[in-house]
């Protein structure tokens, strides 16, 4: 079990930045690949970004590449999602997820999930 807790969501203007954090409990944080997903109203949950256990390899959805950056701080058991140049289309609930093994962009590969944090981008 890996309890995950997201924070940092809120209301931001079109073009603005926001940083999300996901704090993980437990001592095995470095053994988990981490990812962010999001779900907009009326839509399915979709992949945003993923990060390897070491933090050395990342993958992004095409819609956020170049604007979002995923990173991790193993000393703090925390993964971050820095979001720049936000657009109204980025409005969604953002979820942090963890899995053992290699990182993945598939929602079905992740066993552990946070409760989500709302991000709203106003135009």
């Amino acid at each position: 079990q890996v309890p995950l807790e997201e924070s940092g969501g809120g209301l931001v203007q079109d073009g603005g930045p926001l940083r999300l954090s996901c704090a993980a409990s437990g001592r095995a944080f470095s053994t988990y690949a981490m990812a962010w997903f999001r779900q907009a109203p009326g839509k399915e949950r979709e992949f945003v970004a993923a990060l390897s256990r070491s933090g050395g390899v990342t993958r992004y959805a095409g819609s956020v590449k170049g604007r979002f950056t995923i990173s991790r701080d193993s000393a703090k058991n925390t993964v971050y999602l820095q979001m720049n140049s936000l657009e109204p289309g980025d409005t969604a609930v953002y979820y942090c997820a963890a899995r053992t093994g290699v990182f993945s962009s598939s929602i079905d590969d992740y066993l552990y999930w946070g409760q989500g944090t709302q991000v709203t981008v106003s135009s």
Side-chain angles (χ1 to χ4, degrees):
Q1 190 77 5
V2 183
L4 301 171
E5 183 173 1
E6 303 95 338
S7 62
L11 176 65
V12 62
Q13 288 191 335
D14 190 357
L18 203 62
R19 189 177 81 158
L20 305 181
S21 299
C22 173
S25 300
R27 288 180 250 180
F29 179 69
S30 62
T31 67
Y32 290 93
M34 305 295 295
W36 288 94
F37 291 80
R38 67 186 181 185
Q39 187 166 17
K43 294 187 177 181
E44 293 187 351
R45 195 171 299 189
E46 65 176 6
F47 169 74
V48 175
L51 182 67
S52 64
R53 288 169 292 179
S54 68
V57 184
T58 59
R59 182 181 295 170
Y60 296 93
S63 60
V64 307
K65 198 169 187 178
R67 300 189 297 123
F68 291 11
T69 302
I70 187 171
S71 62
R72 67 193 297 160
D73 184 337
S74 294
K76 297 182 178 179
N77 279 15
T78 301
V79 64
Y80 303 98
L81 185 67
Q82 176 66 45
M83 305 184 293
N84 296 327
S85 302
L86 281 162
E87 305 166 352
D90 295 316
T91 295
V93 177
Y94 283 71
Y95 297 90
C96 175
R99 72 182 301 262
T100 55
V102 299
F103 74 109
S104 167
S105 58
S106 174
I107 190 172
D108 294 330
D109 288 339
Y110 288 86
L111 182 61
Y112 307 109
W113 293 84
Q115 294 299 307
T117 185
Q118 176 71 47
V119 172
T120 303
V121 184
S122 63
S123 57

